C-alpha cells in the first residue's frame, strides 16, 4: 500500500484526485441554520483544471474544519486586492510579495491557495511572516507532488496563503503543514463544499458560488468561496475570498477586471464598520477554457468584466446575509449622481449609519435617519430633487417617503410595518443630478451582534 506520508494522489471516480488520508466531515446543508440553507448550493458547475479540499488539521480546538486548499493543474494568472489596514497580517504581506514578483518576472507562478481558519496570523511579528512563508512552501510542495503523480512537467508553482480567526496568536504551523500534506483534493461539488466549510469562523453557513457564462461564444466557468460575518467594511477588500476561473486572460486584463468588480461588490458591503487586518480577495485564472484569449478592450473583456462583477456581487451578498446577528438584508441604491464616486459615497454613508441599521432591526420607519445620512455624506446636493423610497423584497409596491425633497405625509405606518417585517429590502435614493449610480449591501445591527463579539475568544 502506498504511504500516505508521501501524499500520493489517486483517481477518485474518474473525476478528480484524492489523497489516501480521509478528512471525514459532513457537507450536508441540514447541519446549518434552516433560515440559511437556501443559500447553500446542492450542486455546482466548476472551472476546468481546478481541485479543492477541506479538512481539520488542529488549528481550531473544537475539531471543526480549519484548512482549505484550492489547486490548479496548470499555471495561473493571479490578481488580488488587500486590506489597507496598516496592521496588515503576515499572509497579506507574503501574498503581495508573491504576486509582485510574478508580475515583475512576467510569469504565471501561482498554482494554489492555502487557507486556514481559527487563527489570523495577524500582529504576530517576525514569526508570523516566517509561518506564512512556511504555509506557502507547504502549498508549493503539494503542487509538486500533484504534478509528479500525473507525470506533468510544469514549472515550480507557488501558493497564496490566507488566514482568518483570532488576532495576535501565532499559527500552529506544524499542524498546518501536516494538514496540507494529507488533504484530499477533488473536482466534485462535495470537495468544493469541504473547502468552503473549512473557511468558516463565526459564519453560520458556507459561502460557495459557481456558474458558467458565455464570453464571446465561449463557455467560461467561475467558482468562488468567501467567508466573513464581522469586521466587514470596504477599503480595497473586505474579508477572505477566492474566485477561480478557467478564462484565458492576461495579467493586465485580469487586474483591470478585478479592480472594477471589487469596487462594485466586496468594496460595496458593510456590516459593522470594522476593517480586518487580513482582508484579501484573489482571482486565479488558468485558461483551461480554450486556446483563445480575452484581449484588452475587446468585447470579450467587457463581457468577462461584467460577468465577474455580477458573480462577485452575488458572492459578496452572501457575506452580508450572514452578518453577525443580522436579521435583514439591505440593498442601498443611489441613482442620479454626477459620478459613480458620489453615488457610492452616499450609499456607503447610509449603509454604515448605526442609526439607520438599528432602525431596520427595530422595524421602525424612521426615514429621517436615512435622509440625514444622505445630507452629511459630503456630496453636493439639490435637496429639492431628492426622492426616497423603500422597496420590499417581495416585489410589491414601494413605500414612497420623500418626493422632490418633500416628505410624503402622513406615512402609511401599516404599509411600513408590512415592508419592514420582510428580510430583504431595497432603499432607493434618487439624487436627480446626473446619470451615475451605485449600490451598497448591508444588514441591520442587532443585540446578537454585541453578544457574538463580546464572547468571541471564549
Amino acid at each position: 500500500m502506498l504511504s500516505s506520508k508521501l501524499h500520493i494522489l489517486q483517481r477518485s471516480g474518474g473525476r478528480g484526485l484524492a489523497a489516501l488520508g480521509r478528512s471525514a466531515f459532513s457537507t450536508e446543508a441540514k447541519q446549518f441554520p434552516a433560515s440559511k440553507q437556501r443559500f447553500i448550493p446542492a450542486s455546482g458547475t466548476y472551472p476546468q483544471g481546478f481541485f479543492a479540499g477541506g479538512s481539520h488539521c488542529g488549528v481550531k480546538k473544537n475539531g471543526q474544519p480549519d484548512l482549505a486548499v484550492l489547486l490548479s493543474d496548470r499555471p495561473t494568472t493571479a490578481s488580488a486586492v488587500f486590506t489597507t489596514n496598516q496592521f496588515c497580517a503576515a499572509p497579506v504581506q507574503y501574498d503581495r510579495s508573491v504576486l509582485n514578483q510574478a508580475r515583475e518576472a512576467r510569469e504565471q507562478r501561482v498554482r494554489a491557495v492555502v487557507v486556514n481558519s481559527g487563527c489570523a496570523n495577524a500582529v504576530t511579528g517576525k514569526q508570523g511572516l516566517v509561518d506564512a512563508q512556511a504555509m506557502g512552501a507547504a502549498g508549493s510542495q503539494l503542487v509538486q507532488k500533484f504534478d509528479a503523480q500525473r507525470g506533468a512537467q510544469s514549472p515550480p508553482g507557488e501558493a497564496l496563503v490566507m488566514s482568518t480567526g483570532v488576532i495576535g496568536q501565532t499559527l500552529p504551523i506544524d499542524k498546518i503543514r501536516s494538514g496540507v500534506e494529507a488533504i484530499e483534493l477533488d473536482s466534485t461539488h462535495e470537495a468544493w463544499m469541504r473547502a468552503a466549510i473549512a473557511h468558516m469562523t463565526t459564519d453560520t453557513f458556507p459561502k460557495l458560488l459557481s456558474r458558467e457564462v458565455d464570453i464571446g461564444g465561449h463557455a467560461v466557468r467561475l467558482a468562488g468561496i468567501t467567508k466573513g460575518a464581522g469586521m466587514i467594511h470596504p477599503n480595497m477588500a473586505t474579508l477572505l475570498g477566492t474566485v477561480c476561473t478557467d478564462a484565458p486572460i492576461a495579467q493586465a486584463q485580469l487586474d483591470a477586471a478585478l479592480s472594477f468588480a471589487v469596487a462594485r461588490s466586496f468594496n460595496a458591503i458593510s456590516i459593522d464598520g470594522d476593517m480586518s487586518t487580513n482582508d484579501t480577495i484573489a482571482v486565479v485564472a488558468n485558461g483551461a477554457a480554450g486556446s483563445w484569449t480575452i484581449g484588452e478592450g475587446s468585447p470579450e473583456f467587457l463581457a468577462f468584466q461584467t460577468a465577474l462583477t455580477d458573480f462577485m456581487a452575488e458572492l459578496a451578498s452572501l457575506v452580508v446575509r450572514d452578518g453577525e446577528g443580522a436579521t435583514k438584508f439591505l440593498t442601498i441604491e443611489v441613482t442620479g449622481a454626477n459620478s459613480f464616486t458620489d453615488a457610492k459615497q452616499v450609499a456607503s454613508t447610509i449603509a454604515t449609519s448605526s442609526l439607520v441599521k438599528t432602525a431596520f432591526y427595530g422595524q421602525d420607519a424612521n426615514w429621517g435617519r436615512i435622509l440625514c445620512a444622505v445630507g452629511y455624506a459630503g456630496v453636493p446636493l439639490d435637496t429639492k430633487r431628492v426622492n426616497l423610497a423603500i422597496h420590499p423584497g417581495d416585489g410589491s409596491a414601494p413605500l414612497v417617503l420623500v418626493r422632490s425633497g418633500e416628505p410624503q405625509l402622513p406615512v402609511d405606518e401599516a404599509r411600513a410595518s408590512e415592508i419592514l417585517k420582510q428580510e430583504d429590502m431595497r432603499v432607493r435614493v434618487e439624487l436627480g443630478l446626473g446619470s451615475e449610480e451605485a449600490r451598497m449591501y448591508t444588514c441591520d445591527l442587532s443585540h446578537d451582534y454585541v453578544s457574538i463579539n463580546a464572547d468571541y475568544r471564549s
Side-chain angles (χ1 to χ4, degrees):
M1 181 173 178
L2 296 174
S3 170
S4 62
K5 292 182 180 180
L6 296 177
H7 190 66
I8 301 298
L9 301 174
Q10 295 182 321
R11 288 287 172 187
S12 174
R15 294 177 295 177
L17 295 166
L20 293 178
R22 291 296 172 189
S23 304
F25 62 88
S26 173
T27 60
E28 293 184 352
K30 65 181 181 181
Q31 67 184 297
F32 302 106
S35 62
K36 306 297 184 183
Q37 291 176 16
R38 62 192 173 102
F39 305 119
I40 303 173
S43 62
T45 302
Y46 298 100
Q48 301 176 65
F50 280 99
F51 298 83
S55 69
H56 169 71
C57 71
V59 179
K60 292 179 181 175
K61 297 178 182 179
N62 62 5
Q64 293 299 310
D66 53 19
L67 181 68
V69 172
L70 303 175
L71 185 148
S72 171
D73 66 2
R74 67 200 73 191
T76 73
T77 302
S79 184
V81 290
F82 302 99
T83 183
T84 56
N85 190 311
Q86 294 183 67
F87 279 105
C88 62
V92 171
Q93 299 174 50
Y94 175 79
D95 288 350
R96 279 178 173 154
S97 176
V98 169
L99 293 174
N100 286 339
Q101 290 176 17
R103 283 190 179 90
E104 291 172 2
R106 297 185 177 181
E107 294 178 349
Q108 294 178 309
R109 293 185 175 180
V110 174
R111 288 283 304 279
V113 180
V114 180
V115 182
N116 80 270
S117 58
C119 177
N121 191 15
V123 197
T124 46
K126 295 178 180 178
Q127 185 60 46
L129 190 55
V130 170
D131 289 343
Q133 292 168 341
M135 194 168 162
S140 297
Q141 291 169 8
L142 178 62
V143 170
Q144 292 175 13
K145 292 173 182 177
F146 181 94
D147 288 345
Q149 173 66 23
R150 298 182 309 127
Q153 300 296 321
S154 299
E158 296 193 60
L160 300 179
V161 301
M162 302 181 191
S163 298
T164 178
V166 178
I167 295 171
Q169 297 182 2
T170 57
L171 288 175
I173 191 61
D174 290 340
K175 293 180 179 180
I176 291 176
R177 276 193 290 233
S178 297
V180 172
E181 184 179 10
I183 199 165
E184 299 179 8
L185 298 175
D186 208 330
S187 59
T188 64
H189 173 68
E190 183 176 4
W192 282 88
M193 278 295 300
R194 288 180 184 275
I197 292 171
H199 279 67
M200 296 170 60
T201 53
T202 59
D203 309 66
T204 65
F205 69 95
K207 300 164 183 66
L208 170 65
L209 189 66
S210 67
R211 72 176 45 143
E212 183 174 286
V213 296
D214 181 271
I215 305 296
H218 304 278
V220 168
R221 294 180 177 184
L222 303 101
I225 294 174
T226 189
K227 69 84 49 197
M231 294 190 80
I232 307 299
H233 185 65
N235 204 339
M236 289 301 292
T238 42
L239 62 170
L240 299 187
T242 303
V243 174
C244 299
T245 178
D246 51 19
I249 186 168
Q251 187 71 60
Q253 283 69 56
L254 186 61
D255 290 346
L258 176 59
S259 177
F260 183 91
V262 163
R264 292 157 178 81
S265 58
F266 286 100
N267 262 0
I269 63 175
S270 183
I271 290 176
D272 52 16
D274 273 337
M275 187 202 313
S276 168
T277 54
N278 293 57
D279 303 338
T280 303
I281 300 295
V283 178
V284 289
N286 68 6
S291 57
W292 55 286
T293 302
I294 297 175
E296 180 180 2
S298 66
E300 289 79 14
F301 171 74
L302 296 176
F304 176 77
Q305 179 173 263
T306 298
L308 181 64
T309 301
D310 293 344
F311 182 83
M312 291 179 65
E314 186 172 342
L315 192 62
S317 72
L318 295 177
V319 176
V320 178
R321 290 189 180 279
D322 200 21
E324 291 171 347
T327 68
K328 308 291 184 187
F329 178 80
L330 308 173
T331 299
I332 312 299
E333 182 179 74
V334 177
T335 68
N338 284 321
S339 68
F340 171 74
T341 301
D342 284 355
K344 189 171 181 181
Q345 178 63 33
V346 174
S348 177
T349 304
I350 299 169
T352 57
S353 167
S354 296
L355 290 177
V356 170
K357 291 158 73 71
T358 52
F360 276 102
Y361 172 67
Q363 300 180 16
D364 178 10
N366 195 336
W367 58 269
R369 294 182 177 183
I370 301 173
L371 212 61
C372 178
V374 174
Y376 68 71
V379 173
L381 301 172
D382 181 345
T383 58
K384 295 180 180 179
R385 296 186 178 186
V386 174
N387 297 327
L388 169 63
I390 299 177
H391 295 248
D394 63 8
S396 60
L399 177 65
V400 178
L401 296 165
V402 176
R403 182 178 286 120
S404 299
E406 293 291 331
Q408 301 302 288
L409 300 174
V411 173
D412 187 341
E413 296 292 348
R415 177 58 178 154
S417 179
E418 292 174 353
I419 294 175
L420 293 171
K421 287 178 181 178
Q422 298 187 26
E423 180 180 345
D424 289 21
M425 283 165 279
R426 175 166 54 97
V427 176
R428 181 178 173 89
V429 178
E430 300 171 354
L431 301 182
L433 300 173
S435 59
E436 294 295 325
E437 62 183 48
R439 291 175 181 82
M440 285 285 294
Y441 306 95
T442 190
C443 58
D444 57 349
L445 189 60
S446 70
H447 298 94
D448 285 347
Y449 175 83
V450 177
S451 299
I452 291 168
N453 285 282
D455 301 332
Y456 184 71
R457 291 207 306 162
S458 58

